[in-house]
Amino acid sequence: MKEFCDIQSQIIQLHEALLGSVVDEQIVDDKDLTTKRLRELKLFLQGLQREKKRNPIFVLVYLNFYDLYPINGSIYWLGLGLGLYHSGIQVHGVEYEFGGHDSRSAGIFKGKPRECPELTFRKSILIGRTDLGPHEVHNFMEELSKSYTRTSYNLITKNCNHFCNDVSLRLTGKRIPRCINRLAKIGEQLLL
């Protein structure tokens, strides 16, 4: 019995190490497992790891948006498609945002998804999926931070919603919903 428990433990540890996720102990609850089966499973899991490197798993990309003003809630539920929103892109468990904040760093910053200080979270929308890994997304944000600096922020022409649209296009090939930045577009037309 002790040998079987050791095999169970090895299978679970191997699965977690190779695939980066926790395994359900029920899949290794078979009393007929042998050392030979363990070797076969190791080879199988190593094959999965190689396949994962060749064909990356896609990660979901979300647009999280927040009410800038309390009246947005009423406007949103009336379905008028207007409102002042702050938005961020969520990928790999991180939310990337852009703004003219007090930090001396670039205008792009990251935080916990759906937790923007002093703003009311409104909704999360699935935009699409990306095959970029966390490191590639980080590098992309570093490159984008050259054009999205804290001093380049403009409520009408270069705001957080413009940033999210650019990020969304790069990560998923899709635009964010137009209603998120509709008032800025109207303001831009009025300034022309």
Side-chain angles (χ1 to χ4, degrees):
M1 185 66 176
K2 181 179 181 331
E3 182 181 321
F4 175 72
C5 290
D6 289 342
I7 292 172
Q8 279 183 312
S9 178
Q10 289 176 20
I11 292 171
I12 291 169
Q13 288 173 354
L14 182 64
H15 183 279
E16 291 174 355
L18 288 174
L19 300 179
S21 61
V22 177
V23 65
D24 183 354
E25 290 187 27
Q26 288 182 330
I27 70 167
V28 294
D29 206 18
D30 184 350
K31 298 279 189 221
D32 296 329
L33 281 178
T34 63
T35 303
K36 181 182 175 191
R37 180 71 179 121
L38 176 61
R39 273 189 243 121
E40 290 172 359
L41 187 57
K42 283 181 181 178
L43 290 172
F44 173 73
L45 291 173
Q46 288 168 346
L48 284 178
Q49 183 66 15
R50 283 192 299 276
E51 182 64 25
K52 183 178 174 182
K53 287 180 181 176
R54 280 195 297 266
N55 297 317
I57 295 173
F58 289 95
V59 176
L60 299 178
V61 176
Y62 294 91
L63 174 74
N64 297 329
F65 64 101
Y66 306 81
D67 291 330
L68 285 176
Y69 297 100
I71 195 163
N72 273 3
S74 302
I75 294 171
Y76 177 83
W77 291 113
L78 288 174
L80 298 177
L82 295 173
L84 288 174
Y85 301 108
H86 172 72
S87 62
I89 291 285
Q90 177 183 335
V91 62
H92 293 292
V94 176
E95 184 168 321
Y96 294 92
E97 304 170 64
F98 169 67
H101 54 87
D102 295 334
S103 172
R104 293 177 187 223
S105 64
I108 297 174
F109 57 102
K110 60 184 180 178
K112 290 182 180 180
R114 298 176 299 281
E115 291 185 19
C116 191
E118 301 178 21
L119 297 178
T120 304
F121 174 73
R122 166 60 53 199
K123 190 173 182 178
S124 187
I125 300 172
L126 176 63
I127 298 293
R129 59 188 193 163
T130 185
D131 63 349
L132 293 181
H135 186 68
E136 294 166 305
V137 170
H138 175 78
N139 289 342
F140 168 61
M141 292 299 171
E142 287 290 319
E143 187 63 32
L144 200 58
S145 70
K146 294 174 185 172
S147 61
Y148 279 94
T149 64
R150 68 183 176 96
T151 57
S152 70
Y153 183 88
N154 181 293
L155 186 61
I156 304 291
T157 60
K158 196 170 191 176
N159 64 36
C160 56
N161 302 312
H162 293 101
F163 164 76
C164 286
N165 194 60
D166 288 350
V167 172
S168 180
L169 282 170
R170 171 62 175 90
L171 296 181
T172 70
K174 298 177 183 175
R175 295 183 175 281
I176 66 170
R178 291 182 180 166
C179 64
I180 301 299
N181 209 23
R182 185 164 287 144
L183 281 179
K185 290 289 184 191
I186 291 169
E188 195 173 4
Q189 293 300 316
L190 292 175
L191 290 176
L192 293 178

